[in-house]
Amino acid sequence: MIAPDALTQASASDVKANAPRIVLQGVSKTFSSNKGSGTVALKDVDLSVRDGAFVSLLGPSGCGKTTVLRMVNGLIKPDSGSVLVSGKVPEPGPDMGFVFQSFRLIPWSSVRGNVEFALADLLPDKAERRERADRYIELVGLKRFGDAYPSELSGGMRQRVALARALATEPKILLMDEPFASIDAQTRELMQIELMRLWTVRRSVALFVTHSVDEAILLADQVVLMGPRPGRILEVIDVGLERPRWSYDVRAEPRFIELRAYLWDRIRTLVLTDPESDFYGRDLGSAV
Amino acid sequence: MKIAAYRLAFLAALIGLWWLASTMVARNLVPSPWATVLAAQRLIAEGRLMSALGESLSIYLGGYGVAILVGIPAGLVMGTIRPIGKTLEIFVYALSATPRVAFIPLIIVFLGLGPQAKILIIFLGAVMPILINTYAGALNSDQELIEMARSVGAKKSRIFTQIMLPGAVPFILVGLRVGATIGLINTVVAELYTAVKGLGGLLAIYGNTFRMAEYFVIVLTLALIGVIVTEALRFLEVRLGRWRRSEVIV
């Protein structure tokens, strides 16, 4: 499906051969609330993501996972510290794809129109744009639904459109903000496999924000564990499970079980010791 | 199709009631449907209905057209440039709450009794709902979609034309519909209070001389204009809103 020259192009434009693709250094961000006191979304965050890596950002609510994504995309700027993508200050554009939790499809545009929306600046030629959009719509399995409106689709199909839109620009970096959080459990599992397949073909850098421990391990090469108030990175863990992971039962692997138990334990502790959390100070038993 | 049959049945019932009223009410105050049809034939044959209709429609569409040309851009500017919107909105709401027929004596002083005065009266009535609904539509634009558009690198102009404007369309159409109704009301008001002309003028003449059959012809003509204009706009609403059930304010 993917033209091979797209891959060589990507590596040719690399700043340095083995340099990390995304680098955050001492990044802090405070959002001012209307009461005057600000919320510290991120404090002194350092993170570097090498090219071709799939990285999950895992942590309880309020740990600044989404803020990291929006900064990498260039939608917001850090108060202090630096964010560099491919060695430059990031700007939103077609070389990064963003998949949002709430899909964010244009309701008055067809599936094709939604995918083409992301391509408008990249491919000024109408026929070319349409051809590219159709290719990615087919890739996510919605060939028959090119003319359908988002309101006519199920949640899983809508998220596939959003995925097609993000992939269609053939971005070097794919940013995903809990993309499967509002999809039912069965569809979610299928979408996870689909995402892994699509990513294997293209091997762009993927930053994947999730609440789900299982999802974080299942998809990623590295799991970045984040803690809340202030949002910070606690630990970066290499997953080290063999790919392709849809070809065997990953969840039965000892490594998966070990990681899962460890991450669950850490997150539970985080939530129980966070005064802002609903579960603060409650006794919810010991390890899984 | 079924609904169309029900509507025809209801219309027949209305005409039946009308006929009943014409036989019950004394002194010919209510003309019979048939007498009204004959009066309509007479008015059309004399050419009076058509010329009055032409006069009324030209000032109505003139005032309404200017209201659209002013109301939509003004509402969009207020909705997209927040300081302007926040500064002006209180004045807009104040003006829209003022009965604008109160300005008629002032308008007559400045513009006299001719078509300019009439068009201004219609404009003042129609522009407020168009402006206010457009403003609401622009304010209501989906911030999540705008962020999505920014993330794909869309420029401000594209975000405006492809996200904000289409999102405001259902609101704008409601404004156009309300504006059309108020504009028609003000057409009659203008023709009654300034130079007595057009359909409003005939209304005054036939009403004052108790020529009730002719009077009814004029009332029905006005109703017909209202129906045609608002149905056309509703058709547009349905066409443009195929993708959703719109929730809009009136």
Side-chain angles (χ1 to χ4, degrees):
Chain A
M1 275 305 141
I2 311 298
D5 61 297
L7 293 168
T8 47
Q9 252 173 26
S11 49
S13 68
D14 268 354
V15 190
K16 283 170 221 142
N18 280 319
R21 178 63 83 171
I22 301 168
V23 181
L24 279 74
Q25 243 167 6
V27 167
S28 298
K29 179 79 190 175
T30 304
F31 289 110
S32 51
S33 59
N34 39 12
K35 285 170 198 153
S37 67
T39 315
V40 182
L42 288 176
K43 196 167 176 357
D44 287 328
V45 168
D46 295 306
L47 177 70
S48 86
V49 179
R50 68 181 160 74
D51 217 359
F54 198 119
V55 175
S56 289
L57 302 178
L58 176 69
S61 308
C63 67
K65 305 180 295 270
T66 302
T67 307
V68 170
L69 279 201
R70 294 172 70 211
M71 267 183 196
V72 171
N73 196 193
L75 289 168
I76 50 173
K77 305 272 176 245
D79 294 337
S80 60
S82 72
V83 179
L84 292 178
V85 176
S86 310
K88 293 191 295 268
V89 175
E91 288 287 333
D95 49 349
M96 277 189 261
F98 206 130
V99 185
F100 300 91
Q101 180 184 346
S102 50
F103 317 146
R104 305 201 188 179
L105 301 180
I106 303 168
W108 52 84
S109 285
S110 64
V111 166
R112 184 178 295 110
N114 268 283
V115 178
E116 283 181 347
F117 184 81
L119 296 169
D121 298 323
L122 193 70
L123 302 172
D125 181 65
K126 228 176 169 180
E128 231 179 294
R129 192 159 71 224
R130 191 188 164 112
E131 187 274 325
R132 175 85 73 92
D134 282 342
R135 185 145 52 90
Y136 278 87
I137 291 165
E138 190 179 348
L139 194 65
V140 298
L142 290 175
K143 196 180 178 184
R144 289 186 301 122
F145 296 92
D147 296 314
Y149 287 101
S151 59
E152 299 170 291
L153 305 177
S154 69
M157 288 158 91
R158 284 181 208 183
Q159 194 54 291
R160 294 217 291 263
V161 178
L163 199 56
R165 178 176 63 197
L167 291 171
T169 59
E170 302 183 344
K172 299 188 194 85
I173 293 162
L174 193 54
L175 306 168
M176 289 168 281
D177 186 9
E178 299 187 45
F180 308 144
S182 45
I183 300 176
D184 68 84
Q186 276 161 26
T187 312
R188 189 184 314 142
E189 284 204 21
L190 296 172
M191 289 293 295
Q192 287 164 352
I193 294 172
E194 195 148 304
L195 176 64
M196 281 192 277
R197 284 178 186 277
L198 292 169
W199 178 76
T200 308
V201 181
R202 270 206 51 78
R203 279 281 171 169
S204 48
V205 178
L207 275 188
F208 190 98
V209 164
T210 180
H211 270 109
S212 155
V213 173
D214 284 41
E215 191 171 65
I217 306 167
L218 180 71
L219 296 172
D221 301 316
Q222 285 180 317
V223 176
V224 176
L225 181 66
M226 296 182 70
R229 281 167 274 275
R232 63 205 187 279
I233 291 177
L234 300 172
E235 201 174 339
V236 180
I237 300 164
D238 280 309
V239 173
L241 287 160
E242 223 172 289
R243 290 187 188 274
R245 294 186 188 156
W246 60 84
S247 60
Y248 64 106
D249 187 6
V250 184
R251 290 183 173 82
E253 292 289 308
R255 176 65 181 158
F256 185 93
I257 295 164
E258 175 200 4
L259 273 178
R260 185 175 187 278
Y262 174 72
L263 286 169
W264 253 116
D265 202 47
R266 298 244 12 205
I267 286 177
R268 200 182 54 241
T269 313
L270 279 176
V271 172
L272 295 184
T273 55
D274 176 9
E276 298 277 317
S277 141
D278 299 341
F279 296 98
Y280 176 58
R282 295 187 60 180
D283 181 14
L284 295 179
S286 50
V288 188
Chain B
M1 272 300 96
K2 221 176 183 179
I3 294 296
Y6 291 157
R7 281 179 176 168
L8 280 176
F10 189 72
L11 182 66
L14 280 180
I15 293 171
L17 269 178
W18 175 12
W19 175 78
L20 210 63
S22 71
T23 58
M24 311 275 278
V25 179
R27 290 189 297 146
N28 287 336
L29 281 182
V30 178
S32 74
W34 181 242
T36 307
V37 170
L38 291 179
Q41 275 179 349
R42 222 160 36 237
L43 284 177
I44 292 168
E46 290 166 9
R48 300 179 76 166
L49 186 63
M50 285 308 147
S51 67
L53 187 65
E55 280 164 12
S56 291
L57 277 183
S58 64
I59 60 156
Y60 172 47
L61 295 179
Y64 183 50
V66 177
I68 292 172
L69 291 180
V70 171
I72 293 179
L76 289 174
V77 167
M78 282 177 64
T80 45
I81 306 171
R82 289 305 288 131
I84 295 181
K86 280 183 176 160
T87 307
L88 293 183
E89 62 176 28
I90 187 161
F91 299 102
V92 168
Y93 292 139
L95 182 59
S96 95
T98 312
R100 270 139 290 151
V101 284
F103 295 119
I104 290 181
L106 187 70
I107 291 169
I108 292 174
V109 168
F110 277 102
L111 293 176
L113 299 169
Q116 294 97 327
K118 291 188 171 77
I119 286 176
L120 183 59
I121 292 167
I122 296 161
F123 165 78
L124 280 178
V127 75
M128 299 318 285
I130 297 174
L131 199 165
I132 288 171
N133 276 284
T134 306
Y135 179 48
L139 285 186
N140 187 56
S141 53
D142 190 332
Q143 293 307 313
E144 294 201 331
L145 274 186
I146 290 173
E147 196 189 48
M148 179 282 293
R150 286 215 303 133
S151 87
V152 305
K155 288 180 191 62
K156 275 194 171 143
S157 57
R158 199 151 79 86
I159 293 176
F160 178 76
T161 54
Q162 294 189 18
I163 305 290
M164 295 183 73
L165 201 54
V169 160
F171 290 81
I172 294 174
L173 285 172
V174 170
L176 289 180
R177 201 144 55 88
V178 179
T181 313
I182 297 180
L184 189 58
I185 295 169
N186 281 21
T187 305
V188 176
V189 171
E191 285 172 341
L192 290 175
Y193 281 88
T194 61
V196 177
K197 283 184 100 177
L199 293 171
L202 291 183
L203 215 52
I205 291 166
Y206 296 133
N208 291 340
T209 54
F210 293 99
R211 294 171 66 181
M212 297 320 277
E214 283 85 353
Y215 174 84
F216 261 57
V217 172
I218 306 304
V219 170
L220 289 176
T221 308
L222 286 167
L224 199 65
I225 297 172
V227 168
I228 290 171
V229 173
T230 51
E231 281 303 300
L233 286 168
R234 251 164 36 104
F235 175 72
L236 207 62
E237 250 176 275
V238 173
R239 278 301 304 255
L240 293 174
R242 271 173 308 176
W243 49 272
R244 74 158 179 198
R245 293 213 135 320
S246 55
E247 299 159 53
V248 281
I249 55 160
V250 178

